[in-house]
Amino acid sequence: MSQPSFANFIIKRPWLRRWMIPFANWYADAAGYRKLGLKADDLIPEESETVLLALKRLPPKEAYDRVFRLRRAFQASLAHQLLPKDQQTKPEDDTAYLTPIIREIEAENQEREDLEAMVIKRKR
C-alpha cells in the first residue's frame, strides 16, 4: 500500500477537491468494479504480508461479505453479465474497510523497525 498518492495534496486544497470529485466519481464508475458489486478495497492484491495480515484482522461478517462479493463478481464476469442495478455497489456504499487496517499494520511495522534500530547508550 505504499504507492505514491496525491490524495493529501488534493484534500488540503478545497478548490482542487471540488474540481476533482466529479472526475473521481466518473473514473470509479468507468472502472466497472461497482457494476460487478465490488468495493474499491476488494481490488487490493493479496500478495503482500501486510494485506494478508489485514485480511486476518477483518471482522468475520466483513470477511464473509468480501468473499461473497468476490465470488458473485467472478460468476458475473464468467457469464459476461453485469449485476442488476439494485445489486450494484452504490458510491455511498463504496467505503474503505481494508485500507484503515493496512495503514494500522504499516504503522505498527514502522514502529517496530524504529524500536529495533534504536541505540541505547549508557550514561557514565
Side-chain angles (χ1 to χ4, degrees), residues 16-27:
L16 188 56
R17 184 176 182 191
R18 281 192 307 270
W19 185 77
M20 289 299 288
I21 285 178
F23 178 71
N25 289 335
W26 170 82
Y27 182 79

Side-chain angles (χ1 to χ4, degrees), residues 49-63:
E49 294 290 328
T50 305
V51 176
L52 291 174
L53 185 57
L55 289 172
K56 289 179 185 175
R57 289 187 186 182
L58 276 177
K61 177 161 181 11
E62 192 65 50

Side-chain angles (χ1 to χ4, degrees), residues 36 38 68-80:
L36 292 173
L38 296 173
F68 176 78
R69 285 190 304 270
L70 290 171
R71 287 184 179 175
R72 182 177 59 179
F74 184 69
Q75 288 291 71
S77 178
L78 283 176
H80 298 286

